Amino acid sequence: MSTHAAPQTLVDKIWRQHVIRELSDGRTLIHIDRHFLHDGTNRQAFDGLRRIKRPVRNLDLTWAVVDHILSTLPGRTGESHPPGIERIHALRDNCRQFNLKLFDTDDPQQGIAHVIAPELGITLPGCTLVCGDSHTATNGGLGALAWGIGTTEVMHVVATQSLLVRKQKQLRINFNGRIGAGVSSKDMILYFMSKHGVTAGAGCTVEYAGPAIRALPIEARMTICNMSIEFGSRCGIVAPDDTTFEYIANRPYAPKGALWDRAVAEWRTLGSDADAQFDREVDIDCNAIGPQVTWGNTPQDAVAIDEALPDPATVADSARRQALERAYNYMNLTPGRTLEGVPIDIAFIGSCTNSRLSDLDAAAQVIKGHKVAKGVTALAVPGSMAVKAAAEAKGLDKIFIEAGFEWRNAGCSMCVGSNGDLVPPGKRSISTTNRNFEHRQGPHSRTHLAGPAMVAAAAVSGCITDVRKLLS
């Protein structure tokens, strides 16, 4: 009797290739292929290494970058934002002592960790990649199994190139149909959360599939995977394909020559088998998605630009109803109206969610020929210095500057508000970031999440606006 291997998902295949040992308590020791450190989560890890007198296990698989607490102002240095000086110097000292590659403030390859890892070819299909930052899931857009880790785990990876983890359940989200004009991948993932909530992926690794996902370029897939964290998952992933391979080819750290051919042949085997079983599957009709904007204080509080805001009185669950009422109070909005026409004070294009060349290009196409509305402060912050250079080579910087945007250097900037880029108390921001929690962009700031084109439309209109009207 012939036997056949059980069908496997994409995650099953990557997982099995990385198992070192399975423990009796249900945890598995797995090999970590790539590890990124940044200025926010490195100090305790290196202090721990010194305490146990251990070196970095594999210098060729670990990189460090300054991104979170770094000023984005023109001419910035590591000393430009005083509260960040100590952390930046600590990272420099640690990388120097342990002989690690650091993408420092003056490095032309510096940028946000989840932007530079893919663009340098460090992120590869089928690899495991971790960083002390929850949005490491972004790298899943290239078919990597990538997730954020805690400070103790950072030390463990640096010392052993491995991690003890429990394999999660698996959720597949199938995006069917086609997205319409003015709709982006950011709208796709916000729409999903608006329908299924911020706990839909709890305890799960998410695979994104379907014709609408396959039609997306790599940078748009990274946006989708980036926001897996916002509905409870630790990581999201898209199976690699020719679009992936074309993106990776010839990047600095990507395989070359015969190694490239062998790698691509292996990567082509990584898709989920046709009859692979998932713990849960969800189908999304992309034909129903319009440009999305959040109105409350979680990413699931999203509506289409022409959709009325929900009435808490119609919500049966008391905890959810109270959360909605609190959000309306914090955001100074009322149920029943649409978001179109709500005045804004700040427009921010940037973050690991939407700061790549395609994001800046999409925003520039809306801004071109317009001026930032009176009273609005608008920032465009490329995700890396390489993205900034590429945008300037295309003349996008001139479009932003002529419109009245501030054109900045690479960094996390206003996403987390830890480097001096803040939304003032009581002011309203529309932002391409991934989180709209209370006080996220500054004390008592109000944040609306949207895609780059929608943020651009609001910047030049002075209020939240349907970008399709400007595009037409």
Side-chain angles (χ1 to χ4, degrees), residues 8 57 81 123 142 149 153 168 176 190 208 211 231 284 321 338 382 393 411 435 439 452-453 468:
Q8 299 178 69
R57 177 68 177 83
H81 179 55
T123 307
L142 281 80
I149 57 176
E153 292 175 306
Q168 295 189 311
N176 302 308
L190 286 174
Y208 299 100
F231 58 96
I284 297 294
R321 184 170 61 251
T338 66
R435 290 183 172 164
H439 317 294
R468 293 171 295 191

Side-chain angles (χ1 to χ4, degrees), residues 10-11 14 34 36 113-119 122-131 133-148 171 205-209 213-214 216-229 233-241 243-245 247-248 267 270-272 352-353 356:
L10 164 61
V11 172
I14 298 174
R34 304 284 190 270
F36 253 86
H114 325 309
V115 174
I116 68 172
E119 76 181 12
I122 291 171
T123 307
L124 298 175
C127 81
T128 52
L129 187 152
V130 297
C131 172
D133 185 287
S134 61
H135 292 105
T136 305
T138 310
N139 296 275
L142 281 80
L145 193 59
W147 67 97
L171 164 66
T205 296
V206 181
E207 180 180 344
Y208 299 100
I213 293 292
R214 299 256 68 90
L216 292 175
I218 293 300
E219 295 184 352
R221 297 179 190 182
M222 286 193 271
T223 295
I224 296 267
C225 290
N226 174 277
M227 295 197 68
S228 304
I229 309 309
S233 177
R234 290 184 67 189
C235 52
I237 192 168
V238 176
D241 56 15
T243 303
T244 317
F245 312 146
Y247 176 91
I248 296 170
W267 296 339
L270 287 179
S272 292
C352 60
T353 314
R356 296 169 183 84

Side-chain angles (χ1 to χ4, degrees), residues 180-184 187 190 288-293 303-307 450-451 454 465-468:
V183 177
S184 69
D187 300 307
L190 286 174
I289 302 175
Q292 303 285 302
V293 186
V303 292
I305 183 63
D306 54 0
E307 182 181 352
M454 283 289 285
T465 301
D466 189 338
V467 68
R468 293 171 295 191

Side-chain angles (χ1 to χ4, degrees), residues 332-333 337-344 428 448 462-465:
N332 192 27
L333 293 169
R337 67 160 298 166
T338 66
L339 286 173
E340 188 158 18
V342 172
I344 62 147
R428 191 177 301 276
H448 297 272
C463 59
I464 299 174
T465 301

Side-chain angles (χ1 to χ4, degrees), residues 23 30 47 63 71 87 134 136 151 180 182 186 205 239 256 279 298 317 322 331 342 345-346 402-403 410 416 435:
L23 278 64
I30 64 169
D47 287 346
W63 296 263
S71 170
R87 286 189 180 186
S134 61
T136 305
T151 302
K186 183 69 161 288
T205 296
K256 304 292 191 299
D279 294 285
T298 75
D317 180 81
Q322 290 172 15
M331 295 296 290
V342 172
D345 304 292
I346 309 281
E402 288 173 5
V416 69
R435 290 183 172 164

Side-chain angles (χ1 to χ4, degrees), residues 96 235 285 359 410 445 448:
R96 191 178 303 113
C235 52
D285 178 11
D359 300 313
S445 58
H448 297 272

Side-chain angles (χ1 to χ4, degrees), residues 35-77:
H35 184 204
F36 253 86
L37 297 150
H38 63 70
D39 45 9
T41 57
N42 81 96
R43 180 181 294 180
Q44 296 92 329
F46 286 111
D47 287 346
L49 283 186
R50 280 186 281 266
R51 188 170 59 251
I52 62 176
K53 297 180 172 58
R54 292 286 294 268
V56 173
R57 177 68 177 83
N58 195 321
L59 294 173
D60 294 332
L61 302 181
T62 304
W63 296 263
V65 67
V66 180
D67 60 0
H68 274 66
I69 204 162
L70 173 69
S71 170
T72 61
L73 289 167
R76 57 95 185 274
T77 68

